[in-house]
Amino acid sequence: MNITVKKLQIRTKKSVELINITPEINEIIYNLKVKNGFVLIYTKHTTTALIINENEDRLLSDIKETLLRIVPKGAGYKHDQIDNNAHSHIIASLIGNSLCIPIINGSMDLGTWQSILFIELDGPRTRTITVQTYSE
Ligand code: ZN
């Protein structure tokens, strides 16, 4: 078993935003020459999340608006008395903070319309994502 670790830093620009990080993950896997195994992508924050879905601008906007409709900002949460971002923590905890993707013949086994999307829920900030590969 061969294990590698890379840290990916991204600078988000908005309070809530979905960012396609597929090219950055592809580059890491390509540079490491991982053949077969899997990659674990893990966000180290309590107000961010990771999903796999279609990177289409109108859909990204729909996902963002739907998340904020399900868990609206400032709906009387107790945590808002501390730093006013309870909705960010709640959405993050509903979605999850890691993804595990198979690597087959040197590339991630993603479907045609699948992209790795990082979700900022309390930006703008600098965020760190851990990218760990496991291979033969
Ligand atoms: Zn908080």
Side-chain angles (χ1 to χ4, degrees):
M1 172 84 69
N2 190 20
I3 301 173
T4 67
V5 184
K6 293 277 179 195
K7 301 285 181 178
L8 178 63
Q9 281 220 329
I10 56 171
R11 179 91 196 122
T12 63
K13 296 186 180 76
K14 297 175 188 159
S15 59
V16 178
E17 111 182 86
L18 283 81
I19 300 167
N20 179 23
I21 59 167
T22 316
E24 286 83 356
I25 307 297
N26 276 334
E27 190 182 345
I28 289 170
I29 291 167
Y30 179 80
N31 288 338
L32 291 169
K33 298 177 172 43
V34 179
K35 261 300 245 175
N36 290 293
F38 60 92
V39 59
L40 175 69
I41 304 163
Y42 171 76
T43 172
K44 298 189 62 170
H45 308 281
T46 57
T47 54
T48 64
L50 287 160
I51 61 170
I52 295 176
N53 218 294
E54 185 176 347
N55 182 38
E56 191 279 311
D57 282 347
R58 286 159 294 186
L59 178 64
L60 300 186
S61 172
D62 288 338
I63 292 171
K64 172 181 163 175
E65 285 168 21
T66 302
L67 290 172
L68 291 169
R69 198 160 55 238
I70 295 168
V71 186
K73 185 174 181 172
Y77 312 107
K78 296 182 192 79
H79 180 77
D80 281 351
Q81 294 163 12
I82 300 169
D83 61 359
N84 215 33
N85 66 354
H87 67 291
S88 314
H89 292 283
I90 294 166
I91 295 170
S93 65
L94 289 173
I95 298 173
N97 65 351
S98 69
L99 296 171
C100 186
I101 301 162
I103 300 169
I104 300 174
N105 290 326
S107 55
M108 284 187 287
D109 192 27
L110 292 172
T112 307
W113 304 108
Q114 287 185 312
S115 291
I116 301 159
L117 304 172
F118 176 83
I119 307 182
E120 171 62 80
L121 294 160
D122 191 26
R125 296 187 197 217
T126 299
R127 301 297 200 170
T128 305
I129 300 161
T130 300
V131 182
Q132 192 163 39
T133 66
Y134 304 74
S135 57
E136 303 161 342

